[in-house]
Amino acid sequence: MSNIALLERPATRAPHLRAVPPITAAATPTSPADLPATRSPRGFALYVGLDEIKAAEAGVSLPLLVDALRRTLAELAPGAETHATVALAPHGSGGRDLDVVRLALQEPGAVARAKAATESEEKDEDYGVTVDISRKRVLIDGDSAAFTYKEFELLQYLVLREGRTIERSELVEALWQSPDDETPGERTIDVHVRRLRAKLGRYEDIVRTVRGVGYRFDRHADVVIRYGHGTPSPDRF
């Protein structure tokens, strides 16, 4: 069975539309100077918030959806021109899919909100701990902390799994996958955590120990998490 479903051509005019009387010859402007100084619609943009995993769970794919929409539009308005692109965002980006898409494609309203949020976040950096996922850095009371790559990866892994206890074995599997890395024992993780806490200073308790299991990060009043924003992407359709 095909996954492509085309919309049927509307049988009647939608109730929110009104008929516009034809322009008579007498009312037709005689020159460009007579045209009203207003803008008129030339098309529309439809933002769809859906990642590839959710699409697959629904039994479709992003290219398949784009093709279905194009076929529907061709049925309803054969003269319409179309252009589609996909919005890419860094792994771990927070927020709703639709918001990420709008920002990645530079929709003015989304850009304005992101700018306002960034300005607010920058004010918060002067106090507490800021874990900046997008820039791979940690700020403590406004100052950059000298975290090693592994220390940041360890903190980021816990932060992105807020409220969940992470076993030591999972941390080893997730953070020491490269062939060049010397895989540590589970107890070596404790050493890395101690070093991480030492650099967090008076905020060391944001990384909690769950005795006999591992570690966890819970939402904390002194911690601000800054996720990466979406970025414009190359055309894919």
Side-chain angles (χ1 to χ4, degrees), residues 103 106-119:
L103 183 59
Q106 300 294 294
E107 192 270 323
V111 171
R113 282 190 294 275
K115 182 179 179 182
T118 298
E119 291 174 351

Side-chain angles (χ1 to χ4, degrees), residues 27-214:
T28 302
T30 57
S31 70
D34 296 325
L35 293 173
T38 59
R39 293 181 296 177
S40 60
R42 295 291 299 273
F44 65 90
L46 174 65
Y47 298 99
V48 178
L50 182 72
D51 62 30
E52 292 176 320
I53 294 177
K54 293 176 182 176
E57 290 174 349
V60 294
S61 65
L62 298 186
L64 184 65
L65 290 174
V66 170
D67 185 55
L69 289 172
R70 279 181 164 158
R71 288 171 179 264
T72 298
L73 190 58
E75 286 285 320
L76 298 175
E81 298 175 325
T82 63
H83 174 77
T85 187
V86 65
L88 300 179
H91 289 293
S93 296
R96 296 166 52 218
D97 287 335
L98 185 58
D99 293 334
V100 172
V101 169
R102 293 174 64 188
L103 183 59
L105 299 181
Q106 300 294 294
E107 192 270 323
V111 171
R113 282 190 294 275
K115 182 179 179 182
T118 298
E119 291 174 351
S120 176
E121 288 168 352
E122 287 174 348
K123 293 178 182 178
D124 292 336
E125 289 179 354
D126 294 335
Y127 173 79
V129 179
T130 298
V131 182
D132 192 336
I133 304 296
S134 60
R135 299 181 183 177
K136 300 291 183 183
R137 65 175 184 169
V138 177
L139 301 178
I140 299 178
D141 292 333
D143 295 323
S144 182
F147 278 35
T148 65
Y149 175 79
K150 279 295 185 221
E151 288 165 351
F152 180 85
E153 290 290 300
L154 175 58
L155 180 60
Q156 175 181 257
Y157 195 87
L158 295 173
V159 163
L160 292 179
R161 290 154 185 81
E162 175 186 317
R164 180 184 144 206
T165 299
I166 309 299
E167 296 182 3
R168 293 177 177 85
S169 58
E170 179 178 339
L171 291 171
V172 171
E173 284 184 22
L175 303 180
W176 276 268
Q177 296 179 340
S178 172
D180 298 329
D181 289 338
E182 181 180 348
T183 304
E186 292 184 13
R187 291 301 171 187
T188 308
I189 294 294
D190 297 339
V191 176
H192 285 275
V193 172
R194 282 200 297 271
R195 291 172 179 168
L196 172 63
R197 283 175 169 159
K199 293 183 179 180
L200 288 170
R202 63 193 180 101
Y203 302 108
E204 64 177 350
D205 62 340
I206 69 173
V207 176
R208 293 179 50 201
T209 299
V210 180
R211 190 174 298 277
V213 183

